[in-house]
Amino acid sequence: MNMRVRILLLNILFFVTILNAQEKGSFTDIRNGKTYQTIQINGTTWMTENLNYKIESDLWCTPYKSRDCNKWGQLYSWETAQSVCPDGWHLPSKSEFEELISPYGDNKEDIYAAIKKDGESGFNAWLAGDGSPNGNYSGCGTYGYYWTSTEKDSLKAWVLILTDYDNWVSVYHSHKNKGKS
C-alpha cells in the first residue's frame, strides 16, 4: 500500500473516531427552566450554547443595552463564572479546553472551523464578545471569550478565545473583572 493511501486511511479513521465520539443531549437548568443542548466529545459533556442565567450584579444584559442575551448568553466576571454554573456543571479548566481542541491539530484556523457555531465538532462556540468592567461590551458576533477555572495569577485567568475576524482560536489570559462567556 502506497504512502498516500495509508495517509488517507488514517485521516478517515481519525475523523470517524471524532464523529463517533459525539453524543448529543440536553439538560434543563432548574433555576430558570432554560433547556440547553449538550454534546459529549471524547468523554466530556459540553453545553453547545452559552449559559444564560441572569444574576443581580449583571452589567452586560440590561433592558437598556442592545445585546441580545437570549441569543448570545450572559457575560460574567471570572469570580461570578466560578459560581454561576448549574448543579452538576463546572467551569472548564484550561486543560479541559486544550483537550477539546487537541484532536483538530495545531492549526488555529482548523481548530476554529471545528469548534465554531455549526462546526464539525458540534461544540458550537457562540461569539458573544466581551464586557469591560464599566458595563460596556464589544465584539458580539466577532469574538468569543470563554473563561476557564484556571488562574494565571491574582489578576488574570485563562480564557479560550475565538475570532471570526481571523478565523482562529487560542488559549490566552484576561483580567478577571471583564465579562466573558
Side-chain angles (χ1 to χ4, degrees):
M1 192 180 314
N2 72 31
M3 184 58 88
R4 285 186 181 181
V5 172
R6 285 184 185 167
I7 291 172
L8 178 61
L9 289 174
L10 284 173
N11 282 335
I12 290 170
L13 179 62
F14 175 74
F15 286 110
V16 167
T17 301
I18 288 173
L19 292 174
N20 286 337
Q22 301 173 356
E23 181 180 320
K24 294 181 179 184
S26 65
F27 84 97
T28 300
D29 187 341
I30 60 172
R31 302 172 298 177
N32 62 3
K34 177 157 175 44
T35 298
Y36 295 91
Q37 300 304 306
T38 63
I39 191 163
Q40 190 173 75
I41 302 173
N42 297 330
T44 301
T45 302
W46 298 88
M47 288 186 201
T48 63
E49 40 193 314
N50 292 344
L51 186 63
N52 190 20
Y53 182 68
K54 178 89 170 127
I55 57 168
E56 288 293 319
S57 61
D58 178 32
L59 296 174
W60 301 285
C61 288
T62 68
Y64 309 105
K65 307 236 175 168
S66 60
R67 188 174 179 282
D68 183 354
C69 294
N70 289 324
K71 176 180 179 180
W72 300 104
Q74 301 282 329
L75 299 177
Y76 304 101
S77 68
W78 183 79
E79 183 179 339
T80 300
Q82 298 293 312
S83 62
V84 76
C85 295
D87 283 343
W89 289 84
H90 68 274
L91 197 60
S93 67
K94 180 180 179 232
S95 64
E96 286 174 309
F97 270 129
E98 290 169 340
E99 288 172 24
L100 171 70
I101 65 177
S102 68
Y104 304 102
D106 293 328
N107 182 299
K108 293 179 180 192
E109 292 173 348
D110 291 343
I111 297 167
Y112 175 81
I115 69 170
K116 70 178 184 170
K117 183 161 174 23
D118 300 323
E120 68 185 71
S121 72
F123 180 73
N124 279 340
W126 285 81
L127 305 179
D130 74 335
S132 66
N134 67 5
N136 292 325
Y137 62 90
S138 63
C140 198
T142 306
Y143 298 96
Y145 299 87
Y146 291 84
W147 284 121
T148 75
S149 60
T150 309
E151 288 183 277
K152 180 182 186 306
D153 56 40
S154 63
L155 298 175
K156 295 180 181 177
W158 293 97
V159 293
L160 178 72
I161 303 170
L162 295 91
T163 172
D164 193 43
Y165 181 73
D166 293 328
N167 296 333
W168 61 261
V169 173
S170 184
V171 177
Y172 199 66
H173 49 83
S174 179
H175 286 277
K176 294 177 183 178
N177 63 351
K178 291 189 156 199
K180 314 280 186 216
S181 295

